[in-house]
Amino acid sequence: MNRSIVYPHNDLSSFEDSQGLIFINKSVLNNKILSSEASVAFQWLFAVVLGALVGILGIVTNVINIIVFVKQRAHKECGTVNLLGLAVSDLCVAITMLFLSFSYCAWLLNPPNLPWEPFAMAYLPAGWPHLMFVQITRTITAYIAFERCMCVVFPFKVKSMLSPKRSIVIIASIFLCFFSSFSPAFIKQKLVYNHDPIVNRSRIVLVLASDWQFVVDIMWYINSIVFNIGSVAIVLICTVITASRVQLSKTWRSSIATGNEQGSEVKSKPVDKEEKPKSGNTSNQNVMSNSKMQKEKKLISMIVLISVIFLICYIPDFMFLLMYSINPDIRIMGKYHNTAVSMYVLTFFMGVFNSSINIIVYYKMSSKYKTVFREWIGISKDEKSVK
């Protein structure tokens, strides 16, 4: 591999190269959009402090999610299979964010005897995997929205179209697809043990291939534009379709229930003893109809809430995409390095935040999840014994 570094604009005064090795000297960073002090404060807040806290929270909550979904016998239900795959991806998002927080802490403190170059560790083994799992989470979220939309649009055909086995294959394919699409980042960028002139001793540093920027740009466009925008579009479209169809179904069931009540009132005037069970059946039908309407109302609320959380957490990524499209110099190791790092940090944090709070949605809006969770921690058993 040719390890000579090519800088498009020759403006990377903070990055010194020697025989294809890259060394970061943050003391000479100069950024016209965001100052070094502001960028450092931003990184301390969102990457180190909040990032670590939310990362730990995400690890705990998604381990709980995985346990609960496995106890629900996920392999027998298409929806639970999808949520289990999402929980696995969210767990990886949280783990990589915690690793990223420690790497950023080392980069900001920059201790003199550190055996690796801090930015190199935060950039390659922490940053890229975290970005990959965030993309996987977004794609699985889009697939879940699509699957729920299919359940509403084709309620009698969806079981033959989307079986649990097919869902397992689709979720596994999403993981494999992103593992493949992100692999060039680890082929064109490597960590090696070499002499670092910044500290004048040998330690682990970052090595870049001559065509690394070209490859990274292609990866960035494919993953950030195609998959990100595609995921957001699918979530929006499927949410609108699902909500509208469920609302129509709710209105129809309400009209049927009203019609049954009016019919029972008319028939109640010349009532015979033999006709009394019919009014009882009508009452049972009304109760069942109201129960279904309540479930549909919860489904609408859950879909809307998941979509809102997803879209809010995507805003920083969209802003970064827009800024990069206007000015390509806003990138890591580019002219506006500080701004790019800060935007990446905010994007990473919102990604792990989105992956850490799903347990609240599941617990509040899924009675089955709540029941299994309470049984697992022993609350339901204790309540039964008290009764």
Side-chain angles (χ1 to χ4, degrees):
M1 180 174 65
N2 183 0
R3 294 179 178 175
S4 61
I5 295 185
V6 179
Y7 296 134
H9 303 288
N10 296 321
D11 53 15
L12 302 179
S13 59
S14 57
F15 301 93
E16 303 177 8
D17 64 283
S18 174
Q19 298 179 352
L21 304 178
I22 185 165
F23 310 99
I24 291 81
N25 185 356
K26 62 180 181 179
S27 61
V28 294
L29 283 173
N30 185 16
N31 193 289
K32 297 179 180 179
I33 298 179
L34 192 65
S35 66
S36 298
E37 293 76 12
S39 178
V40 168
F42 203 82
Q43 293 168 51
W44 270 113
L45 178 61
F46 286 100
V48 180
V49 180
L50 295 179
L53 292 175
V54 178
I56 294 172
L57 175 65
I59 292 173
V60 174
T61 57
N62 283 292
V63 167
I64 293 173
N65 289 339
I66 292 171
I67 293 173
V68 173
F69 291 141
V70 170
K71 285 182 175 291
Q72 289 183 14
R73 305 179 74 179
H75 63 283
K76 291 193 174 182
E77 294 183 6
C78 184
T80 312
V81 167
N82 299 335
L83 293 177
L84 178 59
L86 181 63
V88 172
S89 178
D90 286 341
L91 177 61
C92 295
V93 169
I95 292 173
T96 53
M97 185 65 206
L98 190 59
F99 181 30
L100 193 65
S101 296
F102 285 115
S103 300
Y104 264 94
C105 183
W107 183 33
L108 295 171
L109 294 176
N110 197 21
N113 297 323
L114 203 64
W116 63 83
E117 200 288 309
F119 176 80
M121 193 63 65
Y123 175 73
L124 187 59
W128 279 101
H130 180 77
L131 181 61
M132 178 182 69
F133 286 115
V134 167
Q135 301 281 25
I136 292 174
T137 288
R138 288 172 179 169
T139 305
I140 294 177
T141 301
Y143 171 67
I144 291 174
F146 172 76
E147 185 264 339
R148 287 172 179 167
C149 180
M150 296 291 287
C151 289
V152 174
V153 177
F154 304 105
F156 302 106
K157 296 181 180 180
V158 69
K159 288 187 177 180
S160 60
M161 297 169 60
L162 297 173
S163 64
K165 290 184 178 179
R166 289 180 181 176
S167 291
I168 293 174
V169 172
I170 291 173
I171 296 297
S173 299
I174 291 174
F175 276 89
L176 291 175
C177 175
F178 280 97
F179 285 159
S180 301
S181 66
F182 275 81
S183 60
F186 302 94
I187 296 174
K188 298 297 182 179
Q189 306 170 112
K190 293 182 178 181
L191 297 178
V192 299
Y193 189 77
N194 205 296
H195 181 73
D196 187 346
I198 302 297
V199 294
N200 195 26
R201 61 181 176 84
S202 295
R203 60 177 180 175
I204 299 175
V205 294
L206 183 65
V207 177
L208 306 176
S210 58
D211 57 345
W212 72 276
Q213 188 63 64
F214 173 75
V215 174
V216 168
D217 285 344
I218 293 178
M219 289 176 55
W220 193 87
Y221 277 111
I222 292 175
N223 292 295
S224 295
I225 297 179
V226 177
F227 286 108
N228 268 355
I229 295 180
S231 298
V232 172
I234 291 173
V235 170
L236 282 173
I237 294 172
C238 291
T239 299
V240 171
I241 294 174
T242 303
S244 61
R245 287 299 184 100
V246 172
Q247 186 63 37
L248 286 174
S249 177
K250 179 182 176 181
T251 304
W252 178 78
R253 290 182 186 277
S254 179
S255 63
I256 293 296
T258 304
N260 289 337
E261 289 178 357
Q262 293 175 352
S264 63
E265 289 176 359
V266 172
K267 292 181 180 179
S268 64
K269 294 180 180 179
V271 120
D272 293 333
K273 292 183 180 179
E274 296 178 356
E275 293 178 348
K276 287 183 180 179
K278 291 184 179 180
S279 62
N281 291 337
T282 303
S283 177
N284 291 335
Q285 290 176 357
N286 291 338
V287 171
M288 292 175 63
S289 178
N290 290 332
S291 177
K292 289 182 179 180
M293 289 167 60
Q294 289 297 324
K295 289 181 180 179
E296 289 168 355
K297 185 177 179 180
K298 285 186 176 182
L299 178 61
I300 294 173
S301 300
M302 184 173 178
I303 291 173
V304 171
L305 181 58
I306 290 175
S307 300
V308 169
I309 294 173
F310 177 84
L311 294 173
I312 290 175
C313 293
Y314 177 74
I315 290 175
D317 208 355
F318 176 77
M319 291 174 58
F320 191 18
L321 176 63
L322 184 63
M323 291 169 63
Y324 182 83
S325 301
I326 297 174
N327 189 347
D329 289 333
I330 304 176
R331 56 184 169 82
I332 299 293
M333 292 180 284
K335 184 176 181 180
Y336 303 106
H337 172 80
N338 287 343
T339 303
V341 170
S342 300
M343 291 302 300
Y344 266 119
V345 164
L346 184 58
T347 298
F348 290 163
F349 172 76
M350 294 304 293
V352 74
F353 179 80
N354 179 56
S355 297
S356 302
I357 62 174
N358 285 335
I359 190 172
I360 301 175
V361 180
Y362 301 150
Y363 188 83
K364 290 291 186 181
M365 299 192 173
S366 174
S367 58
K368 188 174 182 180
Y369 180 96
K370 185 176 183 178
T371 301
V372 174
F373 174 78
R374 290 169 70 88
E375 288 178 353
W376 173 54
I377 62 178
I379 293 180
S380 296
K381 293 181 180 179
D382 293 341
E383 289 179 350
K384 289 179 181 178
S385 62
V386 171
K387 292 179 182 179

